[in-house]
Amino acid sequence: MTVRVQQADFDFGAEIAAFRAGNPRIGAVASFLGLVRDVNDDAAVREMTLEHYPGMTEKALEDIVAEAKTRWDIYDALVIHRVGPLLPCDQIVLVAVSSAHRGEAFAACEFIMDYLKTRAPFWKKEDTPAGARWVDARETDDQAAQRWQKR
Amino acid sequence: MITILYFARLRETLGTDREQIAPSPEVATVGQLAAWLRARGGAWESELAPEKPVRVAVNQEMASADAPLPDGAEVAFFPPVTGG
């Protein structure tokens, strides 16, 4: 498992190549790449700043990946999340999951993103023409995470 | 002693990102600590009001209002998370 929280950008292709390098058991890699948009809630976004809770963030991400490993038959997972100032079109987050077959990789990747959105301590602040504003948590994100609750 | 951290909107509104306090002995849980901080009045009273969606972590694990506060604990107050 690799979890990284960093200011620097990352190379999507190089990260995926390194993630699966030399492992002939891997038949599938599913990945999610999150990007900064130039609009949110009907306002133009010029810049975004991501704040996090150093220490707890890494721990929360590791816990989420560990939980994914108990639920699905996956080999490994990679999570890279950027912090600090970001511009529209910038990469924010990469989640990649490897497994023998696609179904497990797809499901675990979606699960990790849904839990990251609601449990990992990151906060977005947007710079808009009307001034800076903290992004409010979305109920749809809570609903997405609740789908995975065990009954 | 307890270390308290504040993040995001709370950090800005309260004007501090960290403090060390020795609360009175009857402050034994997260909820009691929040009430103790609210008693400062002003932004503390409004931002940490029970109806506000404030999340709390104790020693970097999410915690509920009835969670105990071990001595030397790191307690963080923050808004619902918005990463990803």
Side-chain angles (χ1 to χ4, degrees), chain A residues 133-144:
Chain A
R133 64 179 189 189
W134 288 99
V135 174
D136 282 325
R138 291 178 197 275
E139 203 171 312
T140 49
D141 286 336
D142 284 332
Q143 289 159 359

Side-chain angles (χ1 to χ4, degrees), chain A residues 36-46 48 117 124-141, chain B residues 9 82:
Chain A
V36 181
R37 293 182 305 147
D38 67 356
V39 63
N40 187 33
D41 288 337
D42 300 326
V45 175
R46 292 184 293 214
M48 168 184 289
K117 286 281 234 186
K124 286 182 183 137
K125 190 179 192 182
E126 295 170 339
D127 187 23
T128 74
R133 64 179 189 189
W134 288 99
V135 174
D136 282 325
R138 291 178 197 275
E139 203 171 312
T140 49
D141 286 336
Chain B
R9 193 200 314 263
T82 56

Side-chain angles (χ1 to χ4, degrees), chain A residues 51 53 122-125 136, chain B residues 8-9 11-12 74 82 84:
Chain A
E51 179 172 331
Y53 181 173
F122 293 102
W123 301 275
K124 286 182 183 137
K125 190 179 192 182
D136 282 325
Chain B
R9 193 200 314 263
R11 172 178 55 74
E12 286 190 347
E74 176 178 293
T82 56

